[in-house]
Amino acid sequence: IAVPLNWLPLLLPIAFFCLSLAQEDPYPSFSSETLINNVVQDNHTGRIYVGAVNSIYQLNPALKREARTETGPKEDARTCTPPASACQDTKFMDNHNKLLLVHPSNGSLIVCGSRYRGICSLLNLSNVEQQLYYSDSKGERTYVASIEDNVNVVGVMSTYTKEDVSFPVFLVGKGYGSLDSTKLISTRILQDFREWVVFESIIEASTVQTTPFVAKYLHDFRHAFKEDGFVYFLFSRTLDGADSVKNVTFVSRLCETDLHYYSHTELQLNCGNDNKYNKVQAAYVAAPGKELARSMSESGLYGNVVSWRKLTLMSLLYFVFVNLSHCSTRLRSWIRIIPLSHLQYKAFHYSDISLKIDTLEHFKCGADFLPSPLASKPKYALKAQNALTKTELLTAVSVAVENDHTIAFLGNSRGEVFKVNNSSVVSAPISICSVLKCLFFDHNCYFSILLQITKVPVQTCLKQPNCHSCVELRDPYCGWCVLEGRCTRRSECRRAEEKNGWLWSPRQQCVKIVSFFPPNLSCKKTQTVHTRSALGWMDGISRIQASSRIVLANITVSCELPQPSMIPQTPDDQGTGRHFDYERLRFSWTINAKHAQ
């Protein structure tokens, strides 16, 4: 998420306050000397790369710094066509990182900044101090990002085939400022080929560009991803009308093999009644858990949802689910339904031809005689109700699946991170200052703030001392492992698959003794006591599992009491009658188990 320069006087005090708190933060963290713009991870090595103002950092998974390269400040001018020696009125300017992408096939990191109208370079993934490619002499052909502070840039890796030669490329989605080109989406080559040079835009498509410098239609790109042969872009468009400014959020899609963007199509996304939450902030793509897939299918709003079909979960000021498979179906039906004469945004380029259903089925990725329209009508928008609302602005979202349940981590502008399951907040917020991005890696969640990245474990089950504190968490990661007598993840409980062997925290159940015989007993007696558990025989023995004197009979647990000398004295001001006897029995079982161990 880009931070406009005019915000710096407000953000820097907050950033330094965050750093002062970080000194007391128990979680591993990394602090940057300048504002962090982007964070990515190499899934093969686990390394983390941080794009900050004037610096690129390389960190190991434990957030320890391995390398750093300096990208600014350097001589530049807002209207400069590089190299700097050919420019006039240059001055030393900061370089804001606009885009970071891991290019694993050749071991490089794609780095695009604000310098020289947004040119890029390639750094070594193993050592970012080594520059693999950089050129400032190719002019406008290699402008990728933007010098504008408020222009967000997103990208995704892909491949391109020409003349039976396949080579890596990356697709870029970006808004535009007064000094940017009109291309909203472009495909950038990563090697020289014929007349093309590295980072050049290799597709000329009027479908995804706007009339030059139309301030009325501003775009804010937030996410780009691939799925099932399609490339998706998630963005909002600001419509500056005569009376008010209106935001509308869209997801656009094009075939990955479409060499001309003929298949590019947009679908409006509405969240809440009357599209109350209308500006996308962040997104995360993940397959849902079985429980979420089941509930979505039963709602009848999303068709048949299966757990292996990915969803995109977005915070549109707040929180909403959008089903990708349903989205694709709606896109296809929308193309069939809307006449081109009804298209809404006249600032974009369209072709006035008629569309036939059978033709669309045979040419799903378009053709030179079959360009798909770009914009959609609001009446065909994909609608969803807000599942969770918070008073603070949600700025980050990440998702995991545990025990067939979908768990979302939400970061807000106050620096709090919430764990959410089934639209309910299930854990107290973790405060780590203003959260700009949240990314899932391994068994931890990495949060990016203004000047810092913090590594937070997704669960702390083992820290809970007993079943009651375990279930009070309401944490979908945790449960009480009955026979082991500890709070664990299901995968860490050896007999979790047995009935009542692992008591899931959100269900709020613990081991409970419902009866015992005899009902009371002198502490001086040494005889057998029989108990019955509310949850079955195995749940009643968590306190005495180590004792060799335990006898199991159906769901009744029988044990011999310890010698009276082993029972601690009850304080004079505590316990009488049956309650007193129960406490004696409870202490006896605890001592018996410890003694047997």
Side-chain angles (χ1 to χ4, degrees), residues 206-274:
S206 60
T207 315
V208 289
Q209 66 184 32
T210 63
T211 302
F213 315 132
V214 179
K216 185 178 180 179
Y217 301 99
L218 299 179
H219 291 72
D220 186 10
F221 283 81
R222 292 291 179 166
H223 196 52
F225 60 96
K226 295 191 303 183
E227 178 66 19
D228 291 338
F230 293 99
V231 177
Y232 293 85
F233 291 93
L234 187 65
F235 61 94
S236 61
R237 180 180 296 139
T238 301
L239 305 180
D240 189 3
D243 300 323
S244 62
V245 176
K246 179 181 179 182
N247 287 303
V248 183
T249 290
F250 293 88
V251 58
S252 69
R253 189 194 74 176
L254 57 88
C255 292
E256 191 173 6
T257 58
D258 180 2
L259 304 185
H260 303 283
Y261 296 171
Y262 293 144
S263 60
H264 187 273
T265 312
E266 286 181 3
L267 178 66
Q268 183 173 327
L269 304 179
N270 290 355
C271 178
N273 294 331
D274 298 322

Coordinates of all heavy atoms in Angstrom, one line a residue, residues 206-274:
S206 N -6.0 -1.4 -26.8 CA -6.8 -0.2 -26.4 C -7.9 -0.6 -25.4 O -8.5 0.3 -24.8 CB -7.4 0.4 -27.7 OG -8.3 -0.6 -28.3
T207 N -8.2 -1.9 -25.3 CA -9.3 -2.3 -24.4 C -9.0 -1.9 -22.9 O -9.9 -1.6 -22.2 CB -9.4 -3.8 -24.4 OG1 -9.4 -4.3 -25.8 CG2 -10.7 -4.3 -23.8
V208 N -7.7 -1.8 -22.5 CA -7.4 -1.6 -21.1 C -6.6 -0.3 -21.0 O -5.7 -0.3 -20.2 CB -6.7 -2.8 -20.5 CG1 -7.7 -3.9 -20.3 CG2 -5.5 -3.2 -21.3
Q209 N -7.0 0.7 -21.7 CA -6.4 2.0 -21.5 C -7.4 3.1 -21.6 O -8.5 2.9 -22.1 CB -5.2 2.3 -22.5 CG -5.7 2.5 -23.9 CD -4.5 2.6 -24.8 OE1 -3.4 2.1 -24.6 NE2 -4.7 3.4 -25.9
T210 N -7.2 4.2 -21.0 CA -8.2 5.3 -20.9 C -7.8 6.4 -21.7 O -6.7 6.6 -22.2 CB -8.3 5.7 -19.4 OG1 -7.0 6.3 -19.1 CG2 -8.6 4.6 -18.5
T211 N -8.8 7.3 -21.9 CA -8.5 8.5 -22.6 C -7.5 9.3 -21.8 O -7.6 9.3 -20.5 CB -9.8 9.4 -22.7 OG1 -10.8 8.6 -23.4 CG2 -9.6 10.7 -23.4
P212 N -6.5 9.8 -22.4 CA -5.3 10.4 -21.6 C -5.8 11.4 -20.6 O -6.6 12.3 -20.8 CB -4.5 11.1 -22.7 CG -4.8 10.3 -23.9 CD -6.3 9.9 -23.8
F213 N -5.3 11.2 -19.3 CA -5.4 12.2 -18.2 C -6.8 12.5 -17.9 O -7.2 13.7 -17.8 CB -4.6 13.4 -18.5 CG -3.2 13.1 -19.0 CD1 -2.7 13.8 -20.2 CD2 -2.4 12.1 -18.4 CE1 -1.4 13.5 -20.7 CE2 -1.1 11.8 -18.9 CZ -0.7 12.5 -20.0
V214 N -7.7 11.5 -17.9 CA -9.1 11.8 -17.5 C -9.2 11.7 -16.0 O -9.2 10.6 -15.4 CB -10.1 10.8 -18.2 CG1 -11.5 11.1 -17.7 CG2 -9.9 10.9 -19.7
A215 N -9.1 12.8 -15.3 CA -9.2 12.7 -13.8 C -10.5 12.2 -13.3 O -10.6 11.8 -12.1 CB -8.9 14.1 -13.3
K216 N -11.5 12.2 -14.1 CA -12.8 11.7 -13.7 C -12.8 10.2 -13.3 O -13.6 9.8 -12.5 CB -13.8 12.0 -14.8 CG -15.2 11.7 -14.4 CD -16.2 12.0 -15.5 CE -17.6 11.7 -15.2 NZ -18.5 12.1 -16.3
Y217 N -11.9 9.4 -14.0 CA -11.9 8.0 -13.8 C -10.5 7.6 -13.2 O -9.6 7.3 -13.9 CB -12.1 7.3 -15.1 CG -13.5 7.6 -15.7 CD1 -13.6 8.6 -16.7 CD2 -14.6 7.0 -15.2 CE1 -14.8 8.9 -17.3 CE2 -15.9 7.3 -15.8 CZ -15.9 8.3 -16.8 OH -17.2 8.6 -17.4
L218 N -10.4 7.6 -11.9 CA -9.2 7.3 -11.2 C -9.2 5.8 -10.8 O -10.3 5.4 -10.2 CB -8.9 8.2 -10.0 CG -8.8 9.7 -10.4 CD1 -8.5 10.5 -9.1 CD2 -7.6 9.9 -11.4
H219 N -8.1 5.1 -11.0 CA -8.1 3.7 -10.6 C -7.1 3.4 -9.5 O -6.1 4.0 -9.4 CB -7.7 2.8 -11.8 CG -8.7 2.8 -12.9 ND1 -8.9 3.9 -13.7 CD2 -9.5 1.8 -13.4 CE1 -9.9 3.6 -14.6 NE2 -10.2 2.3 -14.4
D220 N -7.6 2.5 -8.6 CA -6.7 2.2 -7.4 C -6.6 0.6 -7.4 O -7.5 0.0 -6.9 CB -7.4 2.7 -6.1 CG -6.5 2.5 -4.9 OD1 -5.3 2.1 -5.1 OD2 -6.9 2.7 -3.8
F221 N -5.5 0.1 -7.9 CA -5.3 -1.3 -8.0 C -4.8 -1.8 -6.6 O -3.9 -1.3 -6.0 CB -4.3 -1.7 -9.1 CG -4.9 -1.7 -10.5 CD1 -5.0 -0.5 -11.1 CD2 -5.3 -2.8 -11.1 CE1 -5.5 -0.4 -12.4 CE2 -5.9 -2.8 -12.4 CZ -6.0 -1.6 -13.0
R222 N -5.4 -3.0 -6.2 CA -5.0 -3.5 -4.9 C -4.5 -4.9 -4.9 O -3.8 -5.3 -4.0 CB -6.3 -3.5 -3.9 CG -6.7 -2.1 -3.6 CD -5.7 -1.4 -2.7 NE -6.1 0.0 -2.3 CZ -5.5 0.7 -1.4 NH1 -4.6 0.2 -0.7 NH2 -5.9 1.9 -1.1
H223 N -4.8 -5.7 -5.9 CA -4.4 -7.1 -5.9 C -4.4 -7.7 -7.3 O -5.2 -7.3 -8.1 CB -5.3 -7.9 -5.0 CG -4.8 -9.3 -4.6 ND1 -3.5 -9.4 -4.0 CD2 -5.3 -10.5 -4.7 CE1 -3.3 -10.7 -3.8 NE2 -4.4 -11.4 -4.2
A224 N -3.5 -8.6 -7.6 CA -3.5 -9.3 -8.8 C -3.1 -10.8 -8.5 O -2.3 -11.1 -7.7 CB -2.4 -8.7 -9.8
F225 N -3.8 -11.7 -9.2 CA -3.5 -13.1 -9.0 C -3.9 -13.9 -10.2 O -4.6 -13.4 -11.1 CB -4.2 -13.6 -7.7 CG -5.7 -13.4 -7.8 CD1 -6.5 -14.5 -8.1 CD2 -6.3 -12.2 -7.4 CE1 -7.9 -14.4 -8.2 CE2 -7.7 -12.1 -7.5 CZ -8.5 -13.2 -7.8
K226 N -3.5 -15.2 -10.2 CA -3.9 -16.1 -11.3 C -4.7 -17.3 -10.7 O -4.4 -17.7 -9.6 CB -2.6 -16.7 -12.0 CG -1.8 -15.7 -12.7 CD -0.7 -16.3 -13.6 CE 0.2 -17.2 -12.8 NZ 1.2 -17.8 -13.6
E227 N -5.6 -17.8 -11.5 CA -6.3 -19.0 -11.1 C -7.0 -19.6 -12.3 O -7.7 -18.9 -13.1 CB -7.4 -18.6 -10.1 CG -8.3 -19.8 -9.6 CD -7.5 -20.8 -8.8 OE1 -6.4 -20.5 -8.4 OE2 -8.0 -21.9 -8.7
D228 N -6.8 -20.9 -12.5 CA -7.5 -21.7 -13.6 C -7.3 -21.1 -15.0 O -8.2 -21.0 -15.8 CB -9.0 -21.8 -13.3 CG -9.3 -22.7 -12.1 OD1 -8.5 -23.5 -11.8 OD2 -10.4 -22.6 -11.5
G229 N -6.1 -20.6 -15.3 CA -5.8 -20.1 -16.6 C -6.2 -18.7 -16.8 O -6.1 -18.2 -17.9
F230 N -6.7 -18.0 -15.8 CA -7.1 -16.6 -15.9 C -6.2 -15.7 -15.0 O -5.7 -16.2 -14.0 CB -8.6 -16.4 -15.5 CG -9.5 -17.1 -16.4 CD1 -10.1 -18.3 -16.1 CD2 -9.9 -16.5 -17.6 CE1 -11.0 -18.9 -16.9 CE2 -10.8 -17.0 -18.5 CZ -11.4 -18.3 -18.1
V231 N -6.1 -14.5 -15.4 CA -5.4 -13.5 -14.5 C -6.5 -12.5 -14.1 O -7.3 -12.0 -14.9 CB -4.3 -12.7 -15.3 CG1 -3.7 -11.6 -14.5 CG2 -3.3 -13.7 -15.8
Y232 N -6.5 -12.2 -12.8 CA -7.5 -11.3 -12.2 C -6.8 -10.1 -11.6 O -5.7 -10.2 -11.0 CB -8.2 -12.1 -11.0 CG -9.1 -13.2 -11.5 CD1 -8.6 -14.5 -11.6 CD2 -10.5 -13.0 -11.7 CE1 -9.4 -15.6 -12.0 CE2 -11.3 -14.1 -12.0 CZ -10.7 -15.4 -12.2 OH -11.5 -16.4 -12.6
F233 N -7.5 -9.0 -11.7 CA -7.1 -7.7 -11.1 C -8.3 -7.2 -10.3 O -9.4 -7.2 -10.7 CB -6.7 -6.7 -12.1 CG -5.4 -7.0 -12.9 CD1 -5.5 -7.7 -14.1 CD2 -4.2 -6.7 -12.4 CE1 -4.3 -8.0 -14.8 CE2 -3.0 -7.0 -13.1 CZ -3.1 -7.7 -14.3
L234 N -7.9 -6.8 -9.1 CA -8.9 -6.2 -8.2 C -8.6 -4.8 -7.9 O -7.5 -4.4 -7.6 CB -8.9 -7.0 -6.8 CG -10.0 -6.7 -5.8 CD1 -11.3 -7.1 -6.4 CD2 -9.7 -7.4 -4.5
F235 N -9.6 -3.9 -8.2 CA -9.3 -2.5 -8.1 C -10.6 -1.7 -7.9 O -11.7 -2.2 -8.0 CB -8.7 -1.9 -9.4 CG -9.5 -2.1 -10.6 CD1 -10.4 -1.1 -11.1 CD2 -9.5 -3.3 -11.4 CE1 -11.1 -1.3 -12.2 CE2 -10.3 -3.5 -12.5 CZ -11.1 -2.5 -12.9
S236 N -10.5 -0.5 -7.5 CA -11.7 0.4 -7.4 C -11.5 1.6 -8.3 O -10.4 1.9 -8.7 CB -11.8 0.9 -5.9 OG -10.7 1.7 -5.5
R237 N -12.6 2.1 -8.8 CA -12.6 3.2 -9.7 C -13.3 4.4 -9.1 O -14.4 4.2 -8.6 CB -13.2 2.8 -11.0 CG -13.3 3.9 -12.1 CD -13.9 3.4 -13.4 NE -13.2 2.3 -14.0 CZ -13.7 1.2 -14.5 NH1 -15.0 1.1 -14.5 NH2 -12.9 0.3 -15.1
T238 N -12.7 5.5 -9.1 CA -13.3 6.7 -8.5 C -14.0 7.5 -9.6 O -13.3 7.9 -10.6 CB -12.3 7.6 -7.8 OG1 -11.7 6.8 -6.7 CG2 -13.0 8.8 -7.2
L239 N -15.3 7.7 -9.5 CA -16.0 8.5 -10.5 C -16.3 9.9 -9.8 O -17.1 10.0 -8.9 CB -17.3 7.8 -10.8 CG -17.2 6.4 -11.3 CD1 -18.6 5.8 -11.6 CD2 -16.3 6.3 -12.5
D240 N -15.6 10.9 -10.4 CA -15.8 12.2 -9.8 C -16.8 13.0 -10.6 O -16.6 13.6 -11.7 CB -14.4 13.0 -10.0 CG -14.4 14.3 -9.3 OD1 -15.4 14.6 -8.6 OD2 -13.4 15.0 -9.3
G241 N -18.0 12.9 -10.1 CA -19.2 13.5 -10.8 C -19.3 14.9 -10.4 O -18.6 15.5 -9.7
A242 N -20.4 15.5 -10.9 CA -20.6 16.9 -10.7 C -21.0 17.2 -9.3 O -20.7 18.3 -8.7 CB -21.8 17.4 -11.6
D243 N -21.7 16.3 -8.6 CA -22.2 16.5 -7.3 C -21.3 15.8 -6.2 O -21.2 16.3 -5.1 CB -23.6 16.0 -7.1 CG -24.5 16.8 -8.1 OD1 -24.3 18.0 -8.3 OD2 -25.5 16.1 -8.6
S244 N -20.8 14.6 -6.5 CA -20.0 13.9 -5.5 C -19.0 12.9 -6.1 O -19.0 12.7 -7.3 CB -21.0 13.1 -4.6 OG -21.7 12.1 -5.5
V245 N -18.2 12.4 -5.2 CA -17.2 11.4 -5.7 C -17.7 10.0 -5.3 O -18.1 9.8 -4.1 CB -15.8 11.7 -5.0 CG1 -14.8 10.6 -5.4 CG2 -15.3 13.0 -5.5
K246 N -17.7 9.1 -6.2 CA -18.3 7.8 -6.0 C -17.2 6.7 -6.2 O -16.6 6.8 -7.3 CB -19.5 7.6 -6.8 CG -20.1 6.2 -6.6 CD -21.3 6.0 -7.6 CE -22.0 4.6 -7.4 NZ -23.1 4.5 -8.3
N247 N -17.0 5.8 -5.3 CA -16.1 4.7 -5.5 C -16.9 3.5 -6.0 O -18.0 3.2 -5.4 CB -15.4 4.4 -4.3 CG -14.3 5.4 -4.0 OD1 -13.4 5.6 -4.8 ND2 -14.4 6.0 -2.8
V248 N -16.4 2.7 -6.9 CA -17.0 1.4 -7.3 C -15.8 0.4 -7.4 O -14.8 0.7 -8.0 CB -17.7 1.6 -8.7 CG1 -18.3 0.2 -9.1 CG2 -18.7 2.7 -8.7
T249 N -16.0 -0.8 -6.9 CA -15.0 -1.8 -6.9 C -15.3 -2.8 -8.0 O -16.5 -3.2 -8.2 CB -14.9 -2.5 -5.6 OG1 -14.4 -1.6 -4.6 CG2 -14.0 -3.7 -5.6
F250 N -14.2 -3.3 -8.7 CA -14.4 -4.2 -9.8 C -13.3 -5.3 -9.6 O -12.3 -5.1 -9.0 CB -14.1 -3.5 -11.1 CG -15.1 -2.5 -11.5 CD1 -15.0 -1.2 -11.1 CD2 -16.2 -2.9 -12.3 CE1 -15.9 -0.3 -11.5 CE2 -17.2 -2.0 -12.7 CZ -17.0 -0.6 -12.3
V251 N -13.7 -6.5 -10.2 CA -12.7 -7.5 -10.4 C -12.7 -7.7 -12.0 O -13.7 -7.8 -12.6 CB -13.0 -8.9 -9.7 CG1 -14.4 -9.4 -10.1 CG2 -11.9 -9.9 -10.0
S252 N -11.5 -7.7 -12.6 CA -11.4 -7.9 -14.0 C -10.7 -9.2 -14.3 O -9.9 -9.6 -13.5 CB -10.7 -6.7 -14.7 OG -9.3 -6.7 -14.3
R253 N -10.9 -9.8 -15.4 CA -10.4 -11.0 -15.7 C -10.0 -11.1 -17.2 O -10.7 -10.6 -18.1 CB -11.4 -12.2 -15.4 CG -10.8 -13.6 -15.5 CD -11.9 -14.6 -15.5 NE -12.6 -14.6 -16.8 CZ -13.6 -15.5 -17.1 NH1 -14.0 -16.4 -16.2 NH2 -14.2 -15.5 -18.3
L254 N -8.9 -11.8 -17.5 CA -8.5 -12.0 -18.9 C -7.8 -13.4 -18.9 O -7.2 -13.8 -17.9 CB -7.7 -10.9 -19.5 CG -6.3 -10.5 -18.8 CD1 -5.2 -11.4 -19.3 CD2 -6.1 -9.1 -19.0
C255 N -7.9 -14.0 -20.0 CA -7.2 -15.3 -20.2 C -5.7 -15.1 -20.2 O -5.2 -14.2 -20.8 CB -7.6 -16.0 -21.5 SG -9.3 -16.5 -21.6
E256 N -5.0 -16.0 -19.5 CA -3.5 -15.9 -19.5 C -2.9 -16.1 -20.8 O -1.8 -15.5 -21.1 CB -3.0 -16.9 -18.5 CG -1.5 -16.7 -18.1 CD -1.1 -17.6 -17.0 OE1 -1.8 -18.5 -16.6 OE2 0.1 -17.5 -16.6
T257 N -3.6 -16.8 -21.7 CA -3.1 -17.1 -23.1 C -3.5 -16.1 -24.1 O -3.2 -16.2 -25.3 CB -3.4 -18.5 -23.5 OG1 -4.9 -18.6 -23.5 CG2 -2.8 -19.5 -22.6
D258 N -4.3 -15.1 -23.7 CA -4.8 -14.1 -24.6 C -3.7 -13.1 -24.9 O -3.3 -12.3 -24.0 CB -6.0 -13.4 -23.9 CG -6.7 -12.3 -24.8 OD1 -6.2 -12.2 -26.0 OD2 -7.6 -11.7 -24.4
L259 N -3.2 -13.1 -26.1 CA -2.1 -12.2 -26.5 C -2.5 -10.8 -26.8 O -1.7 -10.0 -27.2 CB -1.4 -12.9 -27.7 CG -0.9 -14.3 -27.4 CD1 0.0 -14.8 -28.6 CD2 -0.1 -14.4 -26.2
H260 N -3.8 -10.5 -26.8 CA -4.3 -9.2 -27.2 C -5.3 -8.6 -26.2 O -5.8 -7.5 -26.5 CB -5.0 -9.3 -28.6 CG -4.1 -9.9 -29.7 ND1 -3.1 -9.1 -30.3 CD2 -4.0 -11.1 -30.2 CE1 -2.4 -9.9 -31.2 NE2 -3.0 -11.1 -31.1
Y261 N -5.6 -9.3 -25.1 CA -6.5 -8.8 -24.1 C -7.9 -8.7 -24.6 O -8.8 -8.0 -24.1 CB -6.1 -7.4 -23.6 CG -4.8 -7.3 -22.8 CD1 -4.3 -6.1 -22.5 CD2 -4.1 -8.5 -22.5 CE1 -3.1 -6.0 -21.8 CE2 -2.9 -8.4 -21.8 CZ -2.4 -7.1 -21.5 OH -1.2 -7.0 -20.8
Y262 N -8.2 -9.5 -25.7 CA -9.6 -9.5 -26.2 C -10.6 -10.0 -25.2 O -11.8 -9.7 -25.2 CB -9.7 -10.4 -27.5 CG -9.0 -9.8 -28.7 CD1 -8.3 -10.7 -29.6 CD2 -8.9 -8.4 -28.9 CE1 -7.6 -10.2 -30.7 CE2 -8.3 -7.9 -30.0 CZ -7.6 -8.8 -30.9 OH -7.0 -8.3 -32.0
S263 N -10.1 -10.9 -24.3 CA -11.0 -11.5 -23.3 C -11.2 -10.7 -22.0 O -11.9 -11.1 -21.1 CB -10.4 -12.9 -22.9 OG -9.1 -12.7 -22.3
H264 N -10.6 -9.5 -21.9 CA -10.6 -8.7 -20.7 C -12.1 -8.3 -20.4 O -12.7 -7.7 -21.3 CB -9.7 -7.5 -20.8 CG -9.6 -6.7 -19.6 ND1 -10.5 -5.7 -19.2 CD2 -8.8 -6.8 -18.5 CE1 -10.2 -5.2 -18.0 NE2 -9.1 -5.8 -17.6
T265 N -12.5 -8.6 -19.2 CA -13.9 -8.3 -18.9 C -13.9 -7.9 -17.4 O -13.2 -8.4 -16.6 CB -14.8 -9.5 -19.0 OG1 -14.6 -10.1 -20.3 CG2 -16.3 -9.2 -18.9
E266 N -14.8 -6.9 -17.1 CA -14.9 -6.4 -15.7 C -16.2 -6.9 -15.1 O -17.3 -7.0 -15.8 CB -14.9 -4.9 -15.6 CG -13.5 -4.3 -15.9 CD -13.5 -2.8 -15.8 OE1 -14.6 -2.3 -15.5 OE2 -12.4 -2.2 -16.0
L267 N -16.2 -7.1 -13.8 CA -17.4 -7.3 -13.0 C -17.5 -6.5 -11.8 O -16.5 -6.4 -11.0 CB -17.5 -8.8 -12.6 CG -18.7 -9.2 -11.8 CD1 -20.0 -9.1 -12.6 CD2 -18.5 -10.7 -11.3
Q268 N -18.5 -5.7 -11.6 CA -18.7 -4.9 -10.4 C -19.0 -5.7 -9.2 O -19.7 -6.7 -9.2 CB -19.8 -3.8 -10.7 CG -19.9 -2.8 -9.5 CD -20.9 -1.7 -9.8 OE1 -21.0 -1.3 -11.0 NE2 -21.6 -1.3 -8.8
L269 N -18.3 -5.3 -8.1 CA -18.6 -6.0 -6.8 C -19.2 -5.1 -5.8 O -18.7 -4.0 -5.6 CB -17.2 -6.5 -6.2 CG -16.4 -7.4 -7.1 CD1 -15.1 -7.8 -6.4 CD2 -17.1 -8.7 -7.5
N270 N -20.3 -5.5 -5.3 CA -21.1 -4.7 -4.3 C -21.1 -5.3 -2.9 O -21.3 -6.5 -2.8 CB -22.5 -4.4 -4.7 CG -22.6 -3.5 -5.9 OD1 -21.6 -3.0 -6.4 ND2 -23.8 -3.3 -6.5
C271 N -20.8 -4.6 -1.9 CA -20.7 -5.1 -0.6 C -21.7 -4.4 0.3 O -21.6 -3.1 0.4 CB -19.3 -5.1 0.0 SG -19.2 -5.7 1.7
G272 N -22.6 -5.1 1.0 CA -23.6 -4.4 1.9 C -24.8 -3.8 1.2 O -24.8 -3.8 0.0
N273 N -25.7 -3.5 2.0 CA -26.9 -2.9 1.4 C -26.6 -1.6 0.7 O -25.9 -0.7 1.2 CB -28.0 -2.6 2.5 CG -28.5 -3.8 3.2 OD1 -28.6 -4.9 2.5 ND2 -28.8 -3.8 4.4
D274 N -27.1 -1.4 -0.5 CA -26.9 -0.3 -1.4 C -25.4 0.0 -1.6 O -24.9 1.1 -1.7 CB -27.5 1.0 -0.7 CG -29.0 0.9 -0.6 OD1 -29.6 0.3 -1.5 OD2 -29.6 1.3 0.4

